[in-house]
Amino acid sequence: MRRAGRTVVFLVFLVAAATWSSSSMFALGNIVHPDRPVMAVTVPSALVRPLNTLAIHSRRPRSISVALLSDSTAIAYPEGKRIHDRLSQNLASRWTGRASVYVASLSSLGMTPAGFYLLADPITAAHPDVAIVTFNLGLARSRLAASLQRPELAGWVLARRWWQTLIELDLHKYGVTADRLLLYRLFVLSGQTSRWLEQSSQQARLGALRQAVEQLFADRFDFTGDLAARRARATLTYMEEMAPGLPPRRSARSAQRYYSEVMDGLSEDHWVAEITRALLQQLARAGTQTILYVPPINVEYAKSLGAYDEAGIGRTLAMLEQLALDTGAEFADLHDLLPDVAFRDTGGHFTHEPPYDGPQLVAEALTPYVELLVRDVSTNR
């Protein structure tokens, strides 16, 4: 009995120590990095309000809703100057129909068609009348960087789409596996997404805490060790990837590698193309009119480096146009809309001040496509 009692006491102290240690570490991480880190699981929570607003507008007979499904190239601007803001302003001045037009952004940093495919069920449940689906040429790669993968979004895939998600499509390249899908779906169904978000945030903050501790030791004891080696590698990588001068531009080698697949010509069985097709089909089945939108890339700069293949990218765009045709979508190819000076960085983000207001120029080019579908929706009501 005495031995059993000691074992119980030991286990209680062990659990208490583990709880205290983890709580203390999380508290320190929160001090070092008080802001919530950007994580994939935050995407659905950020979309709750726009999705609810879309659902409200879908129930109003005199309201037509438009949803923009895009990445940071659509939203990395001041409020009122983002692409959906500009699009809304353009439609307000041009649309003369009886119904009002509401434009919502479902865009998020680093989102690709794969991410929106995983969120297709809550999106279609909101019943947008028109959806603009973005196909960013810079993100169409066979090997997508881990930082751009959002497997946590599989938690919002309904069971009827599990077969397609796990078997028919190559979403394993997006980090989606059967065990992850089932685990994340369990979190969502059990109503534990807020706790999941909080735990994920705390764990992400520990990375910032580790970096702070490494820096403290390096400064206090003049011991750089692996920290200096990592910094040297990062500096060397940056120098290899970036051209000298401002604004930031890729080196010739980096640009060729970045666009290599789209410049070679994507085929219809490329995993990103197949997922885009599945997403457009899902939206069409739900009664949503769609536009497949190719955002501008820095064609002028790519040509100056010899990294632009007219014939190869022509094959990619022809494939996308056929994909749009097959799924009943409009095809808005704006890849060569803007000159070099309209890009402010290497991520495809636009300048938003004179002489080039990139979001406004993109919105102006998209407006006729949206207006066409809005007119069709209005006529068929």
Side-chain angles (χ1 to χ4, degrees):
M1 284 292 292
R2 196 175 291 176
R3 185 174 182 181
R6 285 198 299 267
T7 301
V8 170
V9 170
F10 172 76
L11 290 174
V12 169
F13 273 101
L14 183 64
V15 171
T19 303
W20 179 85
S21 298
S22 61
S23 299
S24 301
M25 294 291 283
F26 285 163
L28 284 172
N30 192 51
I31 293 171
V32 172
H33 197 295
D35 295 331
R36 174 166 283 170
V38 177
M39 300 172 300
V41 72
T42 64
V43 174
S45 60
L47 296 184
V48 168
R49 179 174 294 179
L51 284 172
N52 287 342
T53 308
L54 274 175
I56 292 171
H57 280 272
S58 72
R59 293 192 291 268
R60 294 175 178 171
R62 289 189 174 275
S63 181
I64 298 173
S65 57
V66 179
L68 174 61
L69 283 57
S70 194
D71 50 36
S72 61
T73 61
I75 58 175
Y77 316 101
E79 188 172 352
K81 293 187 175 184
R82 297 163 296 186
I83 288 179
H84 68 281
D85 296 323
R86 298 298 201 182
L87 189 57
S88 182
Q89 295 159 13
N90 291 348
L91 289 167
S93 64
R94 291 178 50 157
W95 173 246
T96 58
R98 288 179 297 174
S100 62
V101 180
Y102 172 74
V103 182
S105 175
L106 303 183
S107 308
S108 187
L109 304 181
M111 284 291 279
T112 64
F116 287 114
Y117 168 83
L118 295 177
L119 291 176
D121 290 313
I123 291 172
T124 55
H127 302 293
D129 295 301
V130 177
I132 306 168
V133 176
T134 301
F135 192 99
N136 191 325
L137 296 174
L139 301 180
R141 310 172 198 160
S142 294
R143 294 177 62 86
L144 195 63
S147 60
L148 294 172
Q149 296 176 16
R150 308 282 189 269
E152 293 87 347
L153 302 182
W156 282 265
V157 178
L158 297 183
R160 64 172 177 264
R161 292 200 299 131
W162 286 1
W163 176 269
Q164 184 182 49
T165 301
L166 295 173
I167 306 299
E168 296 180 1
L169 300 173
D170 290 333
L171 277 156
H172 62 89
K173 295 182 179 180
Y174 199 66
V176 177
T177 56
D179 56 338
R180 282 181 167 181
L181 185 150
L182 293 172
L183 176 62
Y184 300 151
R185 187 60 186 155
L186 178 62
F187 287 158
V188 174
L189 289 175
S190 63
Q192 297 298 313
T193 51
S194 59
R195 181 170 295 181
W196 179 21
L197 174 59
E198 185 57 33
Q199 289 294 318
S200 299
S201 298
Q202 297 288 21
Q203 291 171 25
R205 288 188 178 105
L206 291 181
L209 175 61
R210 188 202 67 184
Q211 293 174 4
V213 171
E214 286 180 343
Q215 187 62 57
L216 177 66
F217 271 83
D219 294 340
R220 178 68 179 82
F221 300 106
D222 195 26
F223 177 75
T224 56
D226 188 53
L227 186 61
R230 287 206 304 271
R231 285 177 177 170
R233 287 195 297 270
T235 301
L236 180 61
T237 299
Y238 181 85
M239 292 175 63
E240 291 176 346
E241 294 286 320
M242 303 297 291
L246 294 173
R249 293 291 183 264
R250 294 183 180 276
S251 65
R253 179 182 176 184
S254 175
Q256 288 167 353
R257 185 169 60 249
Y258 189 72
Y259 289 117
S260 62
E261 291 190 55
V262 295
M263 294 301 170
D264 288 341
L266 295 182
S267 64
E268 63 180 9
D269 61 354
H270 189 281
W271 76 280
V272 179
E274 289 185 333
I275 289 171
T276 304
R277 179 185 293 274
L279 172 60
L280 293 172
Q281 289 172 337
Q282 171 88 355
L283 290 166
R285 283 194 294 269
T288 297
Q289 304 257 32
T290 54
I291 300 167
L292 182 58
Y293 155 59
V294 179
I297 62 172
N298 198 335
V299 171
E300 182 181 339
Y301 184 69
K303 285 182 176 179
S304 73
L305 298 176
Y308 189 84
D309 187 319
E310 195 84 46
I313 198 169
R315 290 191 294 273
T316 294
L317 295 170
M319 180 274 295
L320 292 174
E321 185 173 17
Q322 185 61 50
L323 190 158
L325 181 65
D326 293 345
T327 56
E330 294 293 322
F331 182 56
D333 171 22
L334 309 186
H335 86 280
D336 57 355
L337 179 70
L338 301 177
D340 173 65
V341 293
F343 292 87
R344 72 173 195 254
D345 57 28
T346 61
H349 304 114
F350 318 130
T351 57
H352 50 81
E353 301 291 348
Y356 288 101
D357 185 342
Q360 173 61 15
L361 292 170
V362 170
E364 286 176 356
L366 279 174
T367 297
Y369 296 94
V370 178
E371 200 171 18
L372 175 68
L373 296 188
V374 165
R375 185 178 294 110
D376 188 53
V377 171
S378 179
T379 301
N380 292 312
R381 277 193 172 171

